[in-house]
Amino acid sequence: MVRKTKEDAELTRQRIIDAARDVFLVRGVSRTSMEQVATQAGVTRGAIYWHFNNKTDLLYALRDRVFLPLIDRMDDTLLVEGSTDPLTRIENFLSGTIKVLNDSIETRQTYEIMMLKCEYVDEFEAVLRQMISTCSGIIENVRLTYERAQVKGLLAGDLTPAELAMDTHLFFSGLLHMWVKDIEGTQLRPHALAMIKTHINLRRK
Amino acid sequence: MVRKTKEDAELTRQRIIDAARDVFLVRGVSRTSMEQVATQAGVTRGAIYWHFNNKTDLLYALRDRVFLPLIDRMDDTLLVEGSTDPLTRIENFLSGTIKVLNDSIETRQTYEIMMLKCEYVDEFEAVLRQMISTCSGIIENVRLTYERAQVKGLLAGDLTPAELAMDTHLFFSGLLHMWVKDIEGTQLRPHALAMIKTHINLRRK
DNA sequence: TATTACATACAAACATGTATGTATGTAAAT
DNA sequence: ATTTACATACATACATGTTTGTATGTAATA
């Protein structure tokens, strides 16, 4: 039994998180035992319990590693006025998220676990509430961006930015769910970016 | 131990399904033991195993009781030409599903269990595949209905019926997910019908 | 030396599926 | 109409296994 440096301990911790992700993906969170995670990580259960209080904490760590960077990215894409028009900024925000899903297997798998492989009961219901709260933030940012588009005369039809933002949010929420469910990546994934473009074009004058 | 008539046995079976739904909703499918379902149903585990092979079969029964009628309803609303125009038929199909969710606690709870309280692993992955297959059928029916709307000159913009059908499907998929997640029914549920109307209006000339 | 980052051992609880027991329904024979 | 044989619809008991969390041990770091 070899004690480690702090850096080594952190590597062990990350290795445990990676292992959890692998096993959660196959077995689902509830049916995964801590022994299985330990085996996958090449440590013992004692090590897991040193780093994490329980399975839920492990799942939190897994989730935070992926979702926090995504949320940080959101403000950059939507609210920072650059050379692109507001509608293109919304499109870039949506397609950027799809690109991250395409590029990062970690992100992809974490989404899949959160959407299809865990049950929102007990202490985990709070996570659902957080997700809904994050959605409210996103909707607000999209609404603000649609307002900018309206001011610039870019919007078709006579719907309000709030209505458009809600419609877009529901569209994108559905897209994410269907994207994740397209496990073999043949039915929806190849078309996701085109669908986003279509969606934005539907509201462009 | 009193043996029952066939009719009584069927009542026992339905009572077990109802009990399972109640317990699954609170504890999640995986964390629910068959003993808990038995207690809730007022029978013993032996009775459950008489009627169902295992927990997965019980979950199938629960699901089928709700989803089969919904799927049957689909063709009626979309494909049967009545006095209403095709866009209104799409709107009625979408809002009709929301109305069923509002009116039937059983439907509502089953959706919640299927979306938030179970993990799609092992034998249950097949259910996910079935759901995706059902979605394809819905998309096709919506596309056909959008085509009818196009022939009648009701569509705004220059998108194809296939593109519109896909956008609508993703919107509605997102709406269902967010609707189900609005557990306290205060954030999205009161506005769902209006959002559907908005969505359809966005494509009406 | 004290603390850390683990590994190993212990204790307890729970859950599943199956075997067996039992009372009653049902159809057929008398 | 009564009796019998069988099947049914459960309840109870059995057998087995797994999993969790915690206590304790241990080598290395700080």
Side-chain angles (χ1 to χ4, degrees), chain B residues 1-4 32-35 45 49 55:
Chain B
M1 202 299 302
V2 184
R3 197 190 152 201
K4 310 287 181 71
T32 295
S33 70
M34 297 297 255
E35 183 65 44
R45 288 198 297 116
Y49 281 105
K55 196 193 287 185

Side-chain angles (χ1 to χ4, degrees), chain B:
Chain B
M1 202 299 302
V2 184
R3 197 190 152 201
K4 310 287 181 71
T5 63
K6 284 193 175 188
E7 292 77 39
D8 287 345
E10 180 59 26
L11 288 179
T12 299
R13 188 173 182 278
Q14 298 301 326
R15 197 163 75 244
I16 292 168
I17 295 174
D18 287 334
R21 194 177 63 247
D22 291 341
V23 185
F24 285 167
L25 194 67
V26 171
R27 301 186 53 81
V29 176
S30 295
R31 295 188 208 194
T32 295
S33 70
M34 297 297 255
E35 183 65 44
Q36 284 156 347
V37 175
T39 301
Q40 179 79 7
V43 298
T44 63
R45 288 198 297 116
I48 298 188
Y49 281 105
W50 170 261
H51 286 281
F52 305 98
N53 290 325
N54 46 44
K55 196 193 287 185
T56 301
D57 278 1
L58 182 52
L59 188 58
Y60 277 125
L62 177 69
R63 177 203 59 161
D64 290 345
R65 223 166 75 170
V66 162
F67 280 92
L68 294 182
L70 278 186
I71 291 166
D72 287 344
R73 211 191 104 250
M74 177 181 71
D75 291 348
D76 292 343
T77 314
L78 278 179
L79 297 184
V80 176
E81 308 239 7
S83 54
T84 55
D85 72 88
L87 289 185
T88 302
R89 291 213 304 278
I90 293 171
E91 182 178 334
N92 288 341
F93 166 59
L94 302 185
S95 54
T97 303
I98 296 293
K99 281 168 186 163
V100 172
L101 283 170
N102 273 320
D103 294 344
S104 159
I105 189 168
E106 180 185 11
T107 304
R108 192 154 71 240
Q109 289 179 343
T110 303
Y111 260 82
E112 190 174 329
I113 290 163
M114 300 305 293
M115 287 188 175
L116 301 176
K117 308 285 169 91
C118 70
E119 303 177 343
Y120 289 90
V121 293
D122 292 342
E123 63 291 331
F124 220 56
E125 284 182 338
V127 174
L128 196 57
R129 247 169 259 121
Q130 282 174 25
M131 283 157 74
I132 290 168
S133 173
T134 303
C135 285
S136 299
I138 292 175
I139 295 168
E140 181 57 19
N141 284 342
V142 172
R143 187 191 67 80
L144 287 174
T145 314
Y146 269 131
E147 256 183 15
R148 299 233 174 92
Q150 185 175 50
V151 167
K152 294 192 178 200
L154 301 177
L155 292 183
D158 58 350
L159 300 189
T160 66
E163 284 170 326
L164 292 173
M166 203 65 214
D167 191 82
T168 292
H169 171 68
L170 293 179
F171 160 83
F172 192 57
S173 172
L175 180 64
L176 283 181
H177 278 93
M178 302 304 293
W179 196 99
V180 166
K181 286 172 190 163
D182 185 25
I183 305 285
E184 285 161 27
T186 58
Q187 300 209 28
L188 186 124
R189 291 182 184 183
H191 315 296
L193 296 179
M195 284 181 205
I196 290 169
K197 191 172 287 292
T198 298
H199 180 82
I200 298 293
N201 282 345
L202 197 57
R203 49 220 63 212
R204 200 186 282 271
K205 192 177 281 182

Side-chain angles (χ1 to χ4, degrees), chain A residues 46-62:
Chain A
I48 299 190
Y49 282 106
W50 170 262
H51 286 280
F52 305 97
N53 290 325
N54 47 44
K55 196 192 289 184
T56 301
D57 277 1
L58 182 52
L59 188 57
Y60 277 125
L62 178 68

Side-chain angles (χ1 to χ4, degrees), chain A residues 185-197:
Chain A
T186 59
Q187 303 209 24
L188 186 123
R189 290 184 186 182
H191 314 296
L193 294 180
M195 285 181 206
I196 289 169
K197 191 173 287 291

